[in-house]
Amino acid sequence: MDTLKRRHPGMPDYQGSLEPEYSDDKLYKPTRQQSGNKWLGLPKEYRDEALAILKEYHDDIIPIALTLISFWTRFYLISYANFVVWDEAHFGKFGSYYIKREFYFDVHPPLGKMLVGLAGILAGYDGRFSFNSGEAYPDSVNYGFMRLFCASFGAWMVPLTYYTAKELAFSMQATVLVTLMVLLDTAYLCISRFILLDSMLLFFTLTSVFCLTKFHNQRNESFSLDWWLWLTLTGISIGCVSSVKWVGLLVTALVGLYTIEDLWDKFGDFHMPKPVYLKHWIARIVCLIVLPVAVYMLCFVIHFAILNHSGPGDAQMSSLFQAGLEGNDFHSNPLEVAYGSKVTIKNMGYGGGLLHSHVQTYPQGIGSSQQQVTCYHHKDSNNEWLVKKPRESPMSESEIEVDFVNNGDAIRLLHGPTGANLHSHPIKAPVTKSQWEVSCYGNDTVGDHHDYWIVEIVDDLNEKHVERIRSLTTRFRLRHKVLGCYLRAANTVLPQWGFKQIEVTCDKRNNIEDPHTHWNIERHWNDKLPAAPAANYRSKFLYDFWHLNVAMYTSNNALIPDRDKEDILASTPDQWPLLTVGLRMCGWADDAIKFYLLGNPIVWWSGTASLALYAVMLLFYMANGITFFMLAR
Amino acid sequence: MMLYQSKQEYYESPIHIDQISTSSIPTYTRVRSRRPVIFDGHYSDMRGHSRTIFGLRMRDLQLMTGLLLLAVFIRLYRIYQPSSVVFDEVHFGGFASKYMKGRFFMDVHPPLAKLLITFAGLMGGFDGNFDFKEIGKDYIEPRVPYVPMRLMPATLGVLVIPMAYLTLRQSHISTTASVLVSILLILENGLITQSRLILLDSPLVACTALTVLAWSCFQSEQRRPFGFWWWFWMSMTGLALGLTVSCKWVGLFTIALVGVSTIRGLWDMLGDLRITPEIFTKHFLARVLCLIVIPISVYMFFFAIHFAILTNSGDGDGFMSAEFQQSLKGHQMHDVPIDIAYGSHITIRHVNTQGGYLHSHNHVYPSGSRQQQVTLYPHKDENNVWKIMNRTNIPYDGPPVMVKNGDVVRLEHVATSKKLHSHDIRPPLTELDYHNEVSAYGFAGFEGDDNDLWRVEITEHSSSDPKSKDYLRTLHSKFRLVHLMTGCHLFSHKLKLPKWGFEQQEVTCIKGGTYPKTVWTVESNKNDQLPEDAEKVNYKKLGFLGKFLELNQVMWQTNAGLTDSHPYDSRPFDWIVLKRGISFWGKHHRHIYLLGNPIVWWGGSASVAIYLIFKTLLYVRAKRGYKDQLSESEQFYESLAGFFLVGWFLHWAPFFLMSRQLFLHHYFPALYFSVLLFGVLFDIITKFFKSRHRVLVALCIILVTYLAFRTFAPLAYGDPWTKSDCKKAKWLSSWDFDCNQFYDNYDEFNTEPTESPDTKVDHVSSNVPHGKENVATTMGEVAHKADAKNVVKEKATNNNVTEMDTEKKEFDIGDEDDADDEQFNPPAKHDEG
């Protein structure tokens, strides 16, 4: 940022200073001018007129021409490959969910995928296509238009680069050069031409940088209309870029660093009155913090508003949220849990899943070799548990009488498919070694008092005090009767042997505020009980918003690649600056249309070389600087 | 003559040596003045002594002796207590016995501190016949000389005190502050606990303290470059750095501190135009010699001793490469023929995991194909022998045909006549869709099927033997085995099969696997058709440098791999507030829990905070145009405090970058710096006090510290305590020492026979760092174990005993093939102490 300032110290209208450079006739005079009367086969008058027009309007003609070329390169043969290429399989599918309005779950924020959905609607697509990788598009899907829509974001990068360079007061030559570099980079070109989020991410990254430079150039006219405009647009831009992918937070950080430095400089400005300084702070807090957060949250508001039907991502969300979705089957839940009920149990911490068990056991050397208990975000029969009385208590023989579970009761939870008891014992949990392991052990008759859990009701959404567990609304904790620890799942991911599901432990700390020890009944089946009266469940937006973001973060963390498996698609950051790898984007059959993501080496290498050169120069000036400083002394 | 407004101003203003005739002051004469002296532009508080520690005044010596005696008393008080293994004595005591026996082991720490402990044990008459197997194991009965072994760290812990005192005194800090800091260090419960046991942190802190002392003496010699003492202190610094880093790698942070300080000094010198390039180069080379060459030599020297002692094979073998193992007694291999012909009997070794040889035995997989298991087994055994055959079954009597790169072969397990086989069935543990099960299939006389076919792909060869590129040759060729039908690669990884697989390593066939874990080599080779004088080959001998580099690399990887959580681990932010300690030991209603003295701990952290706030304030004020001119004495204090702050920061912040498990004791070097900083701040703040008041303030601080020390002393010494006293001492709810272990009143400690066998060894045993639980289960123990399930359930009902330890010992025996071999002891994934 320092260099920006030095380029035009205290000169608000620098463009005037550059005028002579391109008003120079020589720049546009063809060399053959003297030799004949004809120019490109046209009479001389046309040439002069053309030159005059060019001279007068070159500020517009050049970017328009480059933009047109950009659109042409991006759109050229765009529907040539009539099959699903690379991650179109994901993002096309996610776009479809918006059209079908079914709730789904993904690690990326919604803005980019909503735009894909919008492209689908504009293309007249009904959302029915499955988007399997490599599958040919049926006639009903106007994939060409959807690709065009995404590619146009990529095409706009070119004018954005041009004007950013102009704002940075580059010379005409440099401006055209950098624009051409963006235009001619094959990686930008390639990644823009498919139904992916990257073109949008790049577009909003570039708008953020562009708005920031615009804003920077307004700095001597603080609080002018333009100043506010560009500050606001910067805020909106970083809001958008972060709503496409979390990688957008990197450009947000750049804006943040610039702002901090700017405010620090202003702090040292003795001429600035304190109220003005305060105003600067407030303006930035509003435009660069509040506004982007608002944009980000707005995307989620729209996301939730569109996706109001039950879909494949239900299990990621809280039970209450699911109950609010159309097409869920919670209405058949009986109200209060009784002995003999079959239930699924949901963790109420942000990002919590369903209590789950499966036949696989804890590996030897890590745990007890008993059956694993985890938290899982997929609905299957392995999430079902039977509520049973302790073995010692007399069983109620009556067929009609229903014995409800009361607060403080000791219960046994029997895993539906395997019939084993939820169990804990003083063995260290596999990952969180300071807590006890939770496993499934024995069966209905075989077991011990380590299978007993005390129900402790925390509260109920509708009524202050309830003595029985109500499905969906009652928060309760499960305390191990012998060890006194609480059943807990806190988004710790198990290794491969646990299928990267979430670890369940028995926590020795008794902290009633800890939401990761809170559970609720999600599904409830009991033949003896009638379905609960219909109720309108509404979950709070802020809770859902945060829940979903935590779930996204947790899933992101679980995406650790297997180091033993060759991943031809993956590359590492150290390979990028020198472009040592590319990316194969589709099948490589002999007769197939093939796409390979590879940057333009000249563009990439010159960019990297510039960075290296700059670092060397910086060091050199520092060493010289100190010598000069000493000489001056 | 200048006039002074007040007495205070007079004391503040420095004496400039050049104001007076320099010749009138002999260099070693004491200037009896409280005023600081500016000599040749350098600040020097010549209050009574001249330059470095050798110009000490009598009073300093007296005070130091007093402090030393106090430290000896506090540190060595009842050092025989407790008379059983405590916390990581499990490791470090165990290493001492391995040194005694010369059995190779692998530890993530460099050898110096462990060698010192071994030396102490040797002096005390330790014979190495005690295994320090678990926390709470008795020392008295087997007559282990544990007191001399504990005396070694304790002595070094005591030496920290005079070193701290000297560092501050020769840095021109007042006597009061120096004594104060020394007493704070003496009464620091954490340092006491740590130095009284057979642990490495006490030697580490002592070496760090020595480095700081030498470096600050060197700084005082800056005025006389290339003089004797200048050279002396610089090489002392280098030596001390070498010692520090040879105790623990945390010493690298100390190196970073000295490095930063050196670069800063050189940078200033670069700006000093009086220094010619020649002199600058000389300065530079001197630093390279003393601060780089000397530490590296010292570090390597201790490894040389390490290798010289550990000549026999031991439980660390499994970590090392085959070449390394060849250098240990008990692993040497005879020369084997280099050419591999069809019909040769070979053993195939996995290159990446040190897991051993491709193995099969007469037991089937309990799931999947239920065919015969194929595993990786680390010991030499006839079940490792495979016969390499071509794909046809036509008998052949001609001259031997060598196996070439790209050949399709079959491998027949000689002992069971079954062939190495793979098919589209998921392996028992790694149930991923890109892994296929590998089994041994068929019987004698059965021709086999196409799933028995493997292609040999030679990927690396010995540069000295170009022939091994095209022909499969023993040891020289590294190759992958590609399953012909499915295209997957024979693969193994460090995942142990359950007891039905005898805890041997899983072998699978991976589709699209990465290179490292799919590489194999032929280690032994036997073929009757080859002539007696056929070309032979053996592992090449590793020299010292090769062994040194490999061991350090393995240490690094193992260290980085310690990412499991531990019941008492903590993160760097917890350390500055002393959020929790570590439970070390608990037996006979006594408890040892590593917890710092909160006053010292928080005092150090507060000093850091105050100094940072002060610097920030100055910075912010400068931005607003205030010209704060620090006096020369203030500047001096400021730069000294800055040095200690950087020291604290460099010993604390890098831990944030480590994902491995961390413990409170990792903070000790940083704590040392923060307490030194406390001393400097004490001087700055009390500078304007009268001498009497200053001493009074110091006494108050000492009193409070002493009270805190008294409160927590039972946890440091393992002394009797009561439940109520213990509960009162829980200043923070996060301090998780177990008060329920203690009796209700002190009388019960006298009536109860302390050696009663039925007192329980409870939760502390769960402290055994996880790696140790894997250690050494011999076949003898295994044979007597009853049905596993019963034992587990029985133990599960008894919550005083951790199931973990028990379960480890359970194996199902029945593998006759392997029964002769010593059951492989999985190398203890060592956990830093």
Side-chain angles (χ1 to χ4, degrees):
Chain A
M1 290 303 157
D2 249 336
T3 46
L4 301 187
K5 273 180 242 151
R6 260 187 240 122
R7 276 191 170 273
H8 35 79
M11 210 184 317
D13 184 18
Y14 55 86
Q15 272 163 351
S17 67
L18 295 170
E19 206 56 51
E21 217 171 306
Y22 26 87
S23 63
D24 192 326
D25 291 12
K26 269 187 277 179
L27 209 71
Y28 301 103
K29 265 179 205 157
T31 42
R32 279 185 297 158
Q33 187 193 12
Q34 282 93 1
S35 59
N37 281 340
K38 295 247 173 181
W39 177 71
L40 289 179
L42 291 170
K44 196 165 181 280
E45 304 84 71
Y46 283 99
R47 184 204 73 194
D48 290 342
E49 201 171 323
L51 273 181
I53 291 171
L54 198 64
K55 208 184 287 180
E56 195 176 344
Y57 298 108
H58 72 274
D59 259 3
D60 302 319
I61 290 172
I62 296 175
I64 288 171
L66 290 171
T67 308
L68 287 175
I69 300 171
S70 163
F71 270 95
W72 180 70
T73 53
R74 266 66 178 164
F75 288 177
Y76 177 69
L77 285 182
I78 198 156
S79 50
Y80 186 49
N82 69 338
F83 55 89
V84 179
V85 176
W86 199 44
D87 275 359
E88 285 187 346
H90 294 301
F91 300 114
K93 193 163 62 201
F94 294 142
S96 311
Y97 286 124
Y98 286 102
I99 296 169
K100 291 186 283 185
R101 308 193 69 176
E102 285 174 4
F103 193 81
Y104 73 94
F105 174 78
D106 177 39
V107 293
H108 298 300
L111 178 63
K113 290 167 294 179
M114 290 198 297
L115 287 172
V116 172
L118 177 66
I121 289 173
L122 294 178
Y125 162 55
D126 61 359
R128 296 260 173 79
F129 182 54
S130 61
F131 278 97
N132 288 331
S133 189
E135 197 179 338
Y137 283 107
D139 295 335
S140 63
V141 182
N142 188 355
Y143 65 96
F145 180 81
M146 289 173 79
R147 281 184 187 163
L148 279 186
F149 185 88
C150 295
S152 52
F153 282 95
W156 287 115
M157 285 168 67
V158 167
L160 277 170
T161 314
Y162 181 85
Y163 287 110
T164 306
K166 288 212 73 174
E167 283 301 313
L168 292 170
F170 284 13
S171 70
M172 191 62 191
Q173 292 90 326
T175 308
V176 173
L177 178 66
V178 293
T179 314
L180 278 175
M181 284 171 105
V182 171
L183 173 63
L184 299 179
D185 182 56
T186 41
Y188 283 155
L189 173 68
C190 184
I191 202 83
S192 302
R193 289 164 52 88
F194 301 101
I195 307 170
L196 304 173
L197 303 188
D198 302 80
S199 58
M200 298 161 193
L201 180 78
L202 287 165
F203 172 77
F204 286 119
T205 306
L206 263 61
T207 53
S208 303
V209 176
F210 173 65
C211 294
L212 184 66
T213 51
K214 267 286 193 194
F215 170 68
H216 177 79
N217 287 339
Q218 306 296 328
R219 69 194 177 288
N220 290 331
E221 287 161 49
S222 299
F223 307 112
S224 67
L225 192 63
D226 272 1
W227 187 90
W228 277 110
L229 176 72
W230 291 113
L231 181 60
T232 312
L233 285 176
T234 310
I236 292 175
S237 262
I238 58 176
C240 287
V241 73
S242 310
S243 307
V244 174
K245 277 189 180 184
W246 279 350
V247 194
L249 292 173
L250 296 179
V251 75
T252 309
L254 174 73
V255 174
L257 282 178
Y258 167 80
T259 309
I260 289 167
E261 205 222 1
D262 187 27
L263 287 173
W264 178 244
D265 278 352
K266 288 194 166 48
F267 183 70
D269 180 357
F270 308 138
H271 304 297
M272 186 178 285
K274 285 194 181 74
V276 177
Y277 185 62
L278 197 68
K279 216 171 141 192
H280 273 292
W281 266 91
I282 292 169
R284 281 163 180 82
I285 289 172
V286 170
C287 294
L288 298 180
I289 297 178
V290 177
L291 194 59
V293 171
V295 169
Y296 184 76
M297 285 171 75
L298 182 69
C299 290
F300 278 88
V301 171
I302 301 171
H303 178 76
F304 288 137
I306 296 177
L307 305 177
N308 61 359
H309 287 64
S310 171
D314 283 14
Q316 287 285 350
M317 300 301 290
S318 68
S319 304
L320 223 51
F321 177 87
Q322 295 177 47
L325 291 175
E326 281 174 41
N328 79 78
D329 47 2
F330 291 3
H331 52 83
S332 59
N333 278 355
L335 186 65
E336 289 172 329
V337 175
Y339 290 102
S341 287
K342 191 164 75 177
V343 293
T344 62
I345 304 170
K346 178 90 174 178
N347 187 276
M348 294 194 75
Y350 289 116
L354 290 163
L355 191 66
H356 179 97
S357 182
H358 38 233
V359 289
Q360 282 80 6
T361 56
Y362 289 109
Q364 268 201 338
I366 295 169
S368 63
S369 304
Q370 294 175 7
Q371 193 171 310
Q372 294 173 14
V373 172
T374 64
C375 252
Y376 191 40
H377 288 108
H378 258 277
K379 291 188 179 175
D380 63 21
S381 61
N382 270 330
N383 302 330
E384 288 164 11
W385 299 86
L386 282 165
V387 183
K388 292 269 183 176
K389 285 202 165 184
R391 290 185 192 84
E392 295 83 18
S393 356
M395 301 297 278
S396 76
E397 298 297 321
S398 160
E399 277 288 309
I400 312 128
E401 201 184 320
V402 178
D403 202 352
F404 287 106
V405 176
N406 288 310
N407 189 13
D409 277 8
I411 60 167
R412 241 173 351 123
L413 286 171
L414 226 65
H415 185 234
T418 62
N421 302 294
L422 186 72
H423 180 96
S424 183
H425 37 216
I427 290 180
K428 283 180 255 175
V431 179
T432 316
K433 289 261 161 52
S434 49
Q435 308 305 343
W436 300 133
E437 180 191 274
V438 175
S439 65
C440 258
Y441 177 74
N443 57 36
D444 198 8
T445 47
V446 174
D448 55 25
H449 55 287
H450 277 72
D451 300 338
Y452 301 156
W453 299 83
I454 311 280
V455 175
E456 290 186 4
I457 290 177
V458 179
D459 62 1
D460 187 85
L461 196 70
N462 298 330
E463 277 173 59
K464 264 261 165 323
H465 295 290
V466 287
E467 274 305 299
R468 293 168 180 173
I469 303 172
R470 299 185 169 190
S471 47
L472 294 176
T473 53
T474 304
R475 285 201 287 175
F476 61 93
R477 300 194 294 169
L478 286 172
R479 178 160 58 84
H480 194 256
K481 194 178 174 190
V482 177
L483 300 170
C485 52
Y486 288 88
L487 194 70
R488 183 170 193 263
N491 297 340
T492 314
V493 180
L494 290 173
Q496 186 56 52
W497 54 257
F499 309 99
K500 308 223 168 151
Q501 295 174 7
I502 290 168
E503 184 196 31
V504 172
T505 60
C506 198
D507 196 299
K508 296 173 219 166
R509 293 164 294 188
N510 176 8
N511 177 10
I512 198 160
E513 301 298 323
D514 181 3
H516 295 296
T517 60
H518 294 165
W519 303 81
N520 69 278
I521 301 294
E522 183 167 301
R523 286 308 318 274
H524 181 196
W525 298 271
N526 194 330
D527 297 338
K528 294 180 199 166
L529 292 171
N536 197 9
Y537 295 110
R538 275 260 150 257
S539 48
K540 292 196 186 71
F541 166 72
L542 274 180
Y543 178 85
D544 295 336
F545 167 75
W546 197 245
H547 186 99
L548 182 52
N549 274 276
V550 171
M552 283 154 64
Y553 179 79
T554 316
S555 311
N556 235 338
N557 278 3
L559 293 175
I560 305 159
D562 181 354
R563 291 231 313 265
D564 296 331
K565 169 88 177 127
E566 188 115 46
D567 187 354
I568 49 160
L569 302 180
S571 52
T572 49
D574 57 295
Q575 294 173 316
W576 302 336
L578 291 178
L579 191 64
T580 48
V581 284
L583 174 65
R584 218 176 68 183
M585 294 177 79
C586 57
W588 224 242
D590 283 347
D591 53 347
I593 302 167
K594 305 178 193 66
F595 295 97
Y596 190 76
L597 183 69
L598 186 74
N600 184 333
I602 308 300
V603 175
W604 285 51
W605 291 339
S606 52
T608 306
S610 313
L611 284 174
L613 194 66
Y614 178 70
V616 171
M617 273 161 62
L618 208 65
L619 212 69
F620 179 74
Y621 285 126
M622 265 169 68
N624 266 355
I626 190 155
T627 322
F628 288 140
F629 172 70
M630 290 294 169
L631 273 173
R633 205 171 62 167
Chain B
M1 194 69 200
M2 286 171 76
L3 289 174
Y4 296 97
Q5 296 284 327
S6 63
K7 200 172 163 189
Q8 193 183 336
E9 193 186 327
Y10 167 77
Y11 283 132
E12 265 299 289
S13 66
I15 300 170
H16 284 264
I17 293 289
D18 28 359
Q19 284 171 8
I20 341 166
S21 151
T22 319
S23 59
S24 70
I25 304 178
T27 324
Y28 294 95
T29 316
R30 300 189 307 204
V31 181
R32 285 220 173 267
S33 166
R34 283 176 57 191
R35 294 169 59 194
V37 179
I38 301 296
F39 180 88
D40 195 16
H42 286 265
Y43 181 82
S44 159
D45 175 4
M46 296 169 85
R47 289 170 200 163
H49 65 96
S50 63
R51 319 187 274 175
T52 54
I53 59 170
F54 297 111
L56 283 180
R57 280 199 303 178
M58 202 55 190
R59 198 178 62 165
D60 281 323
L61 286 174
Q62 287 163 347
L63 281 170
M64 229 169 75
T65 317
L67 289 168
L68 199 64
L69 289 175
L70 182 63
V72 166
F73 175 69
I74 297 278
R75 292 281 197 274
L76 305 189
Y77 171 78
R78 290 186 182 167
I79 195 160
Y80 51 84
Q81 185 175 287
S83 60
S84 57
V85 178
V86 179
F87 194 55
D88 276 357
E89 288 187 345
V90 165
H91 298 306
F92 305 120
F95 293 142
S97 22
K98 282 165 195 159
Y99 271 125
M100 299 275 178
K101 301 204 161 147
R103 282 205 188 140
F104 184 78
F105 64 87
M106 222 299 297
D107 180 30
V108 294
H109 302 300
L112 171 60
K114 287 170 287 181
L115 285 169
L116 286 175
I117 290 166
T118 312
F119 177 73
L122 202 66
M123 292 294 106
F126 181 45
D127 54 3
N129 285 327
F130 184 75
D131 58 4
F132 297 88
K133 196 167 170 186
E134 62 198 8
I135 293 176
K137 194 167 178 181
D138 187 36
Y139 282 137
I140 305 289
E141 185 65 37
R143 302 183 157 274
V144 182
Y146 68 101
V147 173
M149 290 169 86
R150 281 185 186 165
L151 272 176
M152 174 58 80
T155 312
L156 291 167
V158 167
L159 288 179
V160 171
I161 308 303
M163 286 195 281
Y165 182 83
L166 288 174
T167 307
L168 289 179
R169 279 304 289 146
Q170 84 83 33
S171 303
H172 315 298
I173 292 298
S174 69
T175 315
T176 319
S178 308
V179 171
L180 175 64
V181 164
S182 307
I183 291 184
L184 292 188
L185 288 171
I186 292 174
L187 297 179
E188 215 295 298
N189 298 49
L191 287 173
I192 296 168
T193 316
Q194 198 71 21
S195 67
R196 289 166 47 82
L197 303 167
I198 308 171
L199 302 172
L200 306 189
D201 294 87
S202 188
L204 174 76
V205 173
C207 291
T208 310
L210 180 63
T211 313
V212 177
L213 175 62
W215 187 244
S216 63
C217 287
F218 171 69
Q219 294 296 335
S220 304
E221 286 296 324
Q222 291 289 20
R223 279 174 285 150
R224 286 175 279 272
F226 306 111
F228 172 76
W229 290 113
W230 186 89
W231 278 111
F232 176 79
W233 286 119
M234 185 147 70
S235 24
M236 273 303 284
T237 311
L239 178 70
L241 280 177
L243 296 177
T244 315
V245 79
S246 305
C247 285
K248 269 192 173 191
W249 277 351
V250 181
L252 290 172
F253 303 150
T254 319
I255 291 182
L257 172 66
V258 172
V260 166
S261 188
T262 309
I263 290 169
R264 169 124 197 240
L266 286 173
W267 186 251
D268 285 348
M269 236 179 252
L270 201 64
D272 186 347
L273 298 179
R274 286 175 297 181
I275 292 177
T276 63
E278 291 80 54
I279 296 181
F280 182 80
T281 316
K282 220 171 137 190
H283 270 288
F284 183 78
L285 290 178
R287 280 162 178 80
V288 169
L289 175 70
C290 292
L291 302 178
I292 297 179
V293 176
I294 292 185
I296 291 179
S297 319
V298 171
Y299 184 71
M300 288 174 72
F301 171 71
F302 288 114
F303 271 92
I305 297 181
H306 182 76
F307 290 135
I309 297 176
L310 301 177
T311 50
N312 302 322
S313 101
D315 58 15
D317 299 357
F319 287 94
M320 312 312 292
S321 71
E323 284 88 352
F324 192 102
Q325 291 184 19
Q326 285 300 308
S327 67
L328 301 169
K329 271 179 217 141
H331 269 293
Q332 273 101 345
M333 190 179 82
H334 297 296
D335 291 355
V336 287
I338 192 164
D339 286 317
I340 298 165
Y342 285 105
S344 284
H345 287 202
I346 56 174
T347 59
I348 304 172
R349 191 184 175 94
H350 194 231
V351 174
N352 180 276
T353 59
Q354 327 298 356
Y357 308 95
L358 191 68
H359 179 95
S360 185
H361 42 227
N362 193 11
H363 293 269
V364 297
Y365 287 117
S367 60
S369 67
R370 294 176 196 275
Q371 292 171 3
Q372 187 169 300
Q373 298 169 13
V374 172
T375 63
L376 220 55
Y377 183 64
H379 300 288
K380 286 185 182 149
D381 177 46
E382 47 186 62
N383 269 323
N384 301 337
V385 180
W386 300 82
K387 183 175 162 196
I388 189 163
M389 309 191 308
N390 64 11
R391 62 189 298 175
T392 63
N393 284 300
I394 306 158
Y396 174 77
D397 284 327
V401 178
M402 304 307 160
V403 181
K404 287 199 303 295
N405 184 19
D407 276 5
V408 174
V409 300
R410 289 180 301 165
L411 290 168
E412 186 180 272
H413 188 239
V414 174
T416 60
S417 301
K418 290 182 166 61
K419 298 196 181 63
L420 189 72
H421 184 91
S422 178
H423 38 222
D424 188 20
I425 291 175
R426 299 293 78 75
L429 295 186
T430 317
E431 295 176 69
L432 294 170
D433 55 359
Y434 50 90
H435 280 271
N436 283 346
E437 186 189 83
V438 173
S439 63
Y441 175 66
F443 44 86
F446 175 64
E447 289 194 357
D449 61 26
D450 286 351
N451 274 331
D452 299 343
L453 299 179
W454 301 82
R455 191 173 63 243
V456 176
E457 279 183 3
I458 295 175
T459 51
E460 286 172 60
H461 65 281
S462 164
S463 53
S464 61
D465 180 13
K467 209 179 159 193
S468 61
K469 188 182 176 194
D470 300 317
Y471 286 90
L472 187 64
R473 304 193 97 192
T474 314
L475 292 175
H476 286 181
S477 306
K478 304 248 189 321
F479 63 97
R480 300 171 96 179
L481 276 175
V482 186
H483 189 240
L484 203 65
M485 300 306 287
T486 55
C488 58
H489 292 100
L490 194 68
F491 167 92
S492 183
H493 50 174
K494 286 195 171 167
L495 198 62
K496 296 232 158 29
L497 295 171
K499 55 178 174 281
W500 54 257
F502 313 98
E503 307 217 319
Q504 293 168 11
Q505 212 166 288
E506 188 189 43
V507 171
T508 73
C509 191
I510 186 173
K511 277 180 254 177
T514 45
Y515 179 66
K517 289 183 184 159
T518 56
V519 187
W520 304 80
T521 186
V522 174
E523 186 178 281
S524 72
N525 173 19
K526 204 174 112 215
N527 193 337
D528 299 335
Q529 284 181 298
L530 291 175
E532 279 296 312
D533 57 346
E535 191 186 349
K536 294 275 175 39
V537 68
N538 206 334
Y539 283 110
K540 63 173 187 287
K541 280 241 180 301
L542 268 187
F544 166 72
L545 210 60
K547 285 171 80 175
F548 170 78
L549 290 176
E550 182 182 328
L551 183 55
N552 274 276
Q553 201 181 340
V554 170
M555 283 160 66
W556 180 268
Q557 282 161 0
T558 316
N559 198 14
L562 294 174
T563 49
D564 278 2
S565 76
H566 183 277
Y568 286 95
D569 60 6
S570 49
R571 294 304 300 173
F573 265 125
D574 304 341
W575 303 339
I576 43 177
V577 293
L578 190 61
K579 190 173 158 205
R580 72 188 300 215
I582 307 169
S583 180
F584 267 17
W585 177 87
K587 208 177 174 184
H588 309 313
H589 303 281
R590 292 157 185 248
H591 190 18
I592 292 184
Y593 182 90
L594 179 77
L595 187 74
N597 185 328
I599 305 299
V600 182
W601 213 279
W602 294 334
S605 301
S607 321
V608 169
I610 290 169
Y611 181 73
L612 283 177
I613 291 168
F614 169 72
K615 282 295 277 185
T616 317
L617 211 66
L618 277 189
Y619 191 51
V620 170
R621 278 172 62 84
K623 191 75 186 175
R624 288 302 296 173
Y626 294 96
K627 305 253 184 298
D628 297 309
Q629 277 295 340
L630 294 183
S631 72
E632 266 182 278
S633 69
E634 279 164 347
Q635 269 178 26
F636 164 77
Y637 280 133
E638 212 264 305
S639 73
L640 185 64
F643 176 71
F644 291 145
L645 182 89
V646 173
W648 171 83
F649 183 80
L650 285 175
H651 283 82
W652 175 68
F655 283 107
F656 280 102
L657 304 176
M658 294 186 199
S659 56
R660 59 155 290 177
Q661 46 176 246
L662 297 172
F663 296 96
L664 184 72
H665 55 245
H666 288 126
Y667 186 66
F668 281 124
L671 178 74
Y672 181 71
F673 285 99
S674 74
V675 176
L676 292 182
L677 182 63
F678 181 87
V680 181
L681 286 195
F682 177 84
D683 252 13
I684 295 175
I685 291 166
T686 61
K687 202 171 64 169
F688 305 116
F689 289 22
K690 282 189 190 137
S691 162
R692 216 166 347 119
H693 294 166
R694 166 197 285 245
V695 171
L696 208 62
V697 172
L699 282 177
C700 286
I701 297 174
I702 290 173
L703 184 69
V704 176
T705 312
Y706 174 71
L707 291 176
F709 158 74
R710 268 288 296 274
T711 309
F712 300 104
L715 286 177
Y717 294 110
D719 272 348
W721 217 13
T722 62
K723 277 195 181 96
S724 56
D725 283 355
C726 171
K727 284 192 176 126
K728 261 187 265 168
K730 277 213 176 180
W731 296 1
L732 294 183
S733 61
S734 54
W735 291 351
D736 44 4
F737 41 85
D738 184 8
C739 286
N740 294 324
Q741 283 197 46
F742 298 102
Y743 284 123
D744 289 321
N745 56 60
Y746 290 103
D747 299 339
E748 287 177 73
F749 282 99
N750 302 326
T751 53
E752 180 92 356
T754 46
E755 295 304 319
S756 80
D758 55 339
T759 44
K760 62 195 179 206
V761 181
D762 60 354
H763 77 281
V764 181
S765 63
S766 67
N767 265 350
V768 181
H770 59 278
K772 267 298 163 189
E773 289 152 4
N774 293 349
V775 160
T777 311
T778 59
M779 281 307 284
E781 275 173 294
V782 174
H784 298 295
K785 282 296 162 192
D787 174 26
K789 197 88 194 175
N790 290 339
V791 178
V792 177
K793 290 322 292 177
E794 199 178 284
K795 294 299 178 188
T797 55
N798 175 9
N799 67 11
N800 286 324
V801 181
T802 52
E803 287 182 19
M804 206 85 146
D805 297 343
T806 327
E807 273 199 309
K808 279 293 153 200
K809 291 164 194 158
E810 287 149 15
F811 289 87
D812 208 25
I813 49 160
D815 185 14
E816 284 84 10
D817 310 326
D818 297 328
D820 298 335
D821 293 298
E822 192 190 349
Q823 190 77 24
F824 174 53
N825 304 333
K829 193 166 150 211
H830 173 63
D831 163 33
E832 140 135 33

